[in-house]
Amino acid sequence: MALIAVVLLVPASVAAGLVARTVINQGVWQHSRRQAELTAAAVRARRLTGVIVPSTPGVDLVQVVAPGRRVIAASAQARGPALVGAWPAAADPAQDVQVCRPRVPCLLISALRVSPAVGSPVVYAGRAAPGAISSAKLDGLFAVEAILLVALATWAAWTVTGRTLRPVEAIRSELAHITASDLDTRVPQPRGEDEVARLAGTINQTLERLERSRDAEQRVRAGLQRMLDQQRRFTSDASHELRTPLAGLRAQLEDAELHPDESDMPHVLRHALRDVDRLQAIITDLLLLSQMGAVHPGDLRTLDLGGLVAAETGWREDDRHPVRLDLEPGVRVEVAPGLIARLLANLLDNAQRHASGCVGVRLRAGGGLAELTVTDDGPGIPEAEREVVFHRFTRLDTARGRGQGGTGLGLAIARDIAHAHHGTLDIADAPARGACFVLCLPLADDDGEREPAAAEPVGES
């Protein structure tokens, strides 16, 4: 910036000095020419005296010189020989002359011929050049001016550049300390809408996007880790569940092989078949869980959910407790009938296993949803454990143990089936005592909230 100032200001100062000198000289010559004209007019009017009194301010040197360099008249300051040797011709009667002699100031003289005649005298009028022009003072003045301007321009450039780059340095310093672990840090953003402020805003927006990407990546990693942990637990639980009946079956068969005469073969076969049935049930549930996902559109049917519930409860012959039905008619849903039947069977099996005297099934429609509740009058499920029972291979106590015939997968399968139909399966507070499972499924025709129809008389299965 200083170099640019030198390149621009030094030539400008030199040019300004030349212009100033020319202007001053022109002013002096104008006054001198005017005095020469006045004196020439006095000569032509024959009013010239031996001593000339100049009437133009600043012009103190006036001479009237005849041919042959003879001074006819002069001002008090111009006594002596002719001031200059210039002699204007008739064709060019006026001349401006600068005369410089050693150790004396330069003279600025205007020479004017009185008349075109051959013997016409010449009037010289002028003054000593101003001291700043006759010496190097004027040049020094402009040199000092150029130096001051260059210094001022350098200081201004340094100050403005410093103020401009100070926010940039702050941004750079802050960015240098930001790592992947602290992307929530932001660089300082100056006020205003200049380029630096917009740069800081863009950097902060970039840091915000990076922070969101990092958080999303961390959530994905956490989700994947949870899925991996769940798969590991599931594999471990499945191995344990399969190993237990296999171990019992193997022990019974090995005992019968070692002591064939002492073994009650019908008893051994009954126990072996019971273990095989348990293995088959676990394997079937595991296969269903592995295949569970979104329901294939080709498997969906629009049907009356109440009719499906009544049909599924009607053929159950081994239930220990009666099932009381309270079904609203005309509740139509779009479902895969086989999967919903399996979900209902799992809920009824769970209720029969823990009920004390009866099981209840209730169906209602409202708010665009079909709500199916299955209740029992058993010991119930503590509120803190209502979510745990939907985990795979979960048994809360000995009453829910293997001796009751459950695989520990029924409720997990039921919830997966509900989610596959864009529904929910949760546990709510029972009206009196026991457990209350609530299944919500979207209605087939979404006509808004339906008014509950009159319930059918409570039946019993």
Side-chain angles (χ1 to χ4, degrees):
M1 189 69 185
L3 180 60
I4 295 176
V6 170
V7 172
L8 294 179
L9 293 178
V10 170
S13 298
V14 174
L18 295 176
V19 171
R21 184 176 306 193
T22 302
V23 169
I24 294 174
N25 289 346
Q26 291 294 334
V28 172
W29 274 316
Q30 286 179 358
H31 287 80
S32 299
R33 193 175 298 115
R34 181 179 179 185
Q35 180 60 49
E37 291 175 349
L38 293 175
T39 303
V43 172
R44 288 192 292 270
R46 300 181 185 277
R47 293 185 284 103
L48 184 64
T49 61
V51 179
I52 301 174
V53 180
S55 59
T56 302
V59 178
D60 56 354
L61 301 176
V62 182
Q63 287 181 341
V64 179
V65 181
R69 313 297 298 168
R70 182 172 55 88
V71 177
I72 301 175
S75 63
Q77 300 295 330
R79 292 190 176 94
L83 296 174
V84 295
W87 195 265
D92 185 16
Q95 292 182 8
D96 293 327
V97 181
Q98 179 176 346
V99 179
C100 292
R101 296 185 179 89
R103 295 184 300 274
V104 293
C106 294
L107 301 179
L108 298 180
I109 303 299
S110 179
L112 178 64
R113 192 181 180 92
V114 175
S115 67
V118 175
S120 173
V122 173
V123 177
Y124 297 116
R127 55 164 289 183
I133 294 178
S134 60
S135 66
K137 293 182 180 180
L138 187 61
D139 296 336
L141 177 64
F142 279 101
V144 172
E145 179 185 5
I147 293 173
L148 292 178
L149 288 177
V150 169
L152 180 62
T154 303
W155 174 82
W158 182 268
T159 303
V160 172
T161 303
R163 291 181 179 178
T164 303
L165 296 181
R166 192 176 299 119
V168 177
E169 174 60 22
I171 294 172
R172 186 208 63 78
S173 177
E174 192 66 35
L175 277 177
H177 293 85
I178 295 177
T179 62
S181 60
D182 53 1
L183 290 176
D184 55 341
T185 306
R186 298 293 180 266
V187 301
Q189 183 170 354
R191 296 179 179 179
E193 294 295 333
D194 58 3
E195 290 78 3
V196 177
R198 291 198 296 270
L199 173 62
T202 302
I203 292 174
N204 286 335
Q205 292 173 5
T206 302
L207 291 174
E208 184 177 357
R209 288 195 296 268
L210 291 175
E211 181 184 9
R212 289 199 299 265
S213 300
R214 181 201 61 185
D215 295 342
E217 181 182 0
Q218 291 177 349
R219 288 193 296 269
V220 170
R221 288 183 176 178
L224 291 176
Q225 186 62 41
R226 287 194 299 269
M227 292 176 60
L228 181 60
D229 294 340
Q230 291 174 358
Q231 290 297 327
R232 288 173 176 171
R233 288 195 300 269
F234 175 72
T235 302
S236 176
D237 294 340
S239 300
H240 178 73
E241 293 293 330
L242 291 172
R243 186 168 54 247
T244 300
L246 281 174
L249 179 60
R250 183 180 183 86
Q252 296 176 37
L253 293 178
E254 288 178 348
D255 184 67
E257 182 183 14
L258 291 174
H259 309 284
D261 296 334
E262 300 177 5
S263 299
D264 184 358
M265 294 307 297
H267 176 76
V268 171
L269 292 176
R270 283 196 303 273
H271 280 269
L273 287 175
R274 186 183 64 184
D275 289 336
V276 170
D277 290 340
R278 177 169 176 77
L279 283 171
Q280 185 177 1
I282 294 176
I283 293 173
T284 301
D285 287 346
L286 289 174
L287 181 62
L288 181 60
L289 278 174
S290 66
Q291 296 174 345
M292 187 58 60
V295 180
H296 193 276
D299 297 334
L300 297 177
R301 300 288 185 273
T302 301
L303 50 80
D304 186 346
L305 184 58
L308 177 63
V309 173
E312 290 298 322
T313 56
W315 64 266
R316 296 174 64 91
E317 299 178 354
D318 298 331
D319 289 344
R320 295 186 303 161
H321 307 290
V323 180
R324 297 176 60 85
L325 300 179
D326 183 8
L327 307 176
E328 177 182 335
V331 180
R332 300 181 63 78
V333 292
E334 188 177 18
V335 295
L339 292 179
I340 296 300
R342 177 62 184 273
L343 184 155
L344 178 62
N346 288 358
L347 294 181
L348 290 174
D349 290 343
N350 181 78
Q352 289 288 342
R353 194 155 43 243
H354 306 294
S356 298
C358 69
V359 175
V361 180
R362 181 175 181 270
L363 176 64
R364 289 291 184 270
L369 295 175
E371 183 180 278
L372 177 70
T373 59
V374 177
T375 59
D376 63 67
D377 58 352
I381 302 175
E383 185 175 357
E385 298 176 340
R386 289 181 180 179
E387 195 64 27
V388 178
V389 298
F390 291 105
H391 296 173
R392 298 166 182 179
F393 300 112
T394 297
R395 297 180 180 86
L396 297 183
D397 50 38
T398 56
R400 300 175 184 269
R402 296 180 182 85
Q404 301 297 325
T407 64
L409 295 173
L411 294 180
I413 292 175
R415 173 168 275 190
D416 284 352
I417 293 174
H419 290 171
H421 288 81
H422 306 290
T424 59
L425 177 61
D426 298 296
I427 301 176
D429 294 330
R433 63 185 296 266
C436 178
F437 289 82
V438 181
L439 170 67
C440 293
L441 295 174
L443 294 173
D445 48 346
D446 189 11
D447 294 331
E449 184 174 355
R450 297 175 42 173
E451 293 292 334
E456 292 183 344
V458 176
E460 186 173 293
S461 174

